Amino acid sequence: MSTLRWTRWLMLTISLMLLLSGCGKNIPAMDPALLQSKLSVLLISKPNLPENTRTTFAKTLLSWRDNEKISYEWIPDVSTLQEQHINKIKSTAYDYIIVVGSELTVQAQPYAAQIPDKKWVLLDDSISGTNTPVLQDKQTLWKQTGANFMQQQWDDWVRQEQNQGKIIEWVTTNNRAIPSTWAPSEEAEYISYSDADGWYAPFQTLVRQHGPNWIAIYSPVDATLLQRMKNLQVPIMNMSTTAIALNWDVVFAGLLDQMKKQQWTPGLQNYTTQEIQVKKP
């Protein structure tokens, strides 16, 4: 082989080696941490959400996808969790299941205990009852107003009226007890239960006997019954119309922070004052 041909062959060999070496360096390796940071979310929401709430949900999920690389699915307008929903949850690699609506959260909680490979976030959107649910599983975060929410909202008003010697006639149901600090057991005759058979006639008699300054409705009554109470000519404080509106931007921002920092914690959790607005009569 001539010296010239040898030199050309050597240069070609070196060039090929450099080219192959360079190509290898240009193939990026997938970062394991990036793979682990990928999250997926399923949102299930109740029917008849206000349009502004639906818009907030849509914008939030799109932002999570575009800015945080969180994949999502949203099943809206669910009144009852059905087998098809549960099968989808079991068969899909969701990291978080977010359920919006107080009735839906009650339905979802038993399923959450049966599907331990997901993290569940149950978001009540109405005031909690006085019976606090028991959570035994370790994969459910249930956000509520808390069992003492109504007492906290109305304690100042009740105390003020009682300190002025005002008499309050209470109307409630058996599953929503009047706080004992408002109506101790020795004043049980001042409490009427609207879910008891034939309760209204005795209630009218008690109102005439006691001559109260207020009728306080602690558990909801229908419009017809409310009108009958108004005919008794006693001022009515309808506490049962107390409602909450969730500040969804704040709620979802807090949830995103927990997911990103891996600080999600199961258990019952009360909404903060920043997460809800209270509407009182």
Side-chain angles (χ1 to χ4, degrees), residues 94-105:
Y94 302 116
D95 295 294
Y96 292 88
I97 313 297
I98 304 173
V99 181
V100 173
S102 296
E103 293 184 4
L104 276 182
T105 60

Side-chain angles (χ1 to χ4, degrees), residues 169 200-212 215 228 231-232 234:
E169 197 78 35
Y200 192 76
F203 166 73
Q204 285 181 301
T205 301
L206 289 173
V207 170
R208 295 189 186 100
Q209 291 177 351
H210 295 156
I215 294 174
R228 292 180 69 186
N231 293 337
L232 297 174
V234 177

Side-chain angles (χ1 to χ4, degrees), residues 214-265:
W214 289 98
I215 294 174
I217 302 174
Y218 195 64
S219 191
V221 297
D222 61 42
T224 301
L225 190 55
L226 180 60
Q227 185 57 51
R228 292 180 69 186
M229 290 183 183
K230 290 179 178 178
N231 293 337
L232 297 174
Q233 302 299 310
V234 177
I236 293 176
M237 181 58 73
N238 194 352
M239 296 179 178
S240 70
T241 61
T242 305
I244 61 169
L246 269 67
N247 297 323
W248 289 110
D249 286 329
V250 178
V251 172
F252 278 112
L255 179 57
L256 175 62
D257 188 61
Q258 291 177 23
M259 292 191 294
K260 288 174 60 177
K261 295 179 180 179
Q262 298 185 353
Q263 294 178 344
W264 178 91
T265 304

